[in-house]
């Protein structure tokens, strides 16, 4: 495999970066809002799951101490 010179490497990097399609400001904002909404939904889901498991553990512990 041939070694690439630093100059050739930088030219290749510049070529590849020019192929990247960067998101618009609107797309970035829309994606950020979607991530925020999903994070909130998952937070409430895990809060509910944690509450259910906590209740089960408390109930089991009350049986063991009786």
């Amino acid at each position: 495999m041939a070694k690439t010179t630093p100059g050739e490497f930088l030219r290749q990097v510049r070529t590849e970066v020019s192929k990247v399609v960067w998101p618009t400001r609107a797309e970035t904002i829309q994606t950020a809002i979607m991530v925020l909404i999903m994070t909130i939904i998952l937070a409430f889901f895990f809060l509910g799951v944690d509450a259910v498991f906590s209740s089960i553990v408390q109930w089991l512990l009350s049986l063991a101490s009786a």
Side-chain angles (χ1 to χ4, degrees), residues 12-66:
Q12 290 175 0
V13 168
R14 185 172 290 160
T15 302
E16 291 301 318
V17 169
S18 69
K19 295 177 186 178
V20 174
V21 179
W22 299 100
T24 64
R25 181 175 175 87
E27 290 172 333
T28 303
I29 291 172
Q30 182 181 11
T31 303
I33 291 170
M34 290 168 51
V35 168
L36 183 64
I37 290 170
M38 285 304 299
T39 301
I40 291 170
I41 290 170
L42 286 172
F44 280 117
F45 170 77
F46 285 118
L47 176 68
V49 169
D50 184 56
V52 168
F53 282 130
S54 177
S55 297
I56 292 170
V57 169
Q58 290 297 323
W59 177 71
L60 290 173
L61 289 174
S62 71
L63 290 178
S65 66

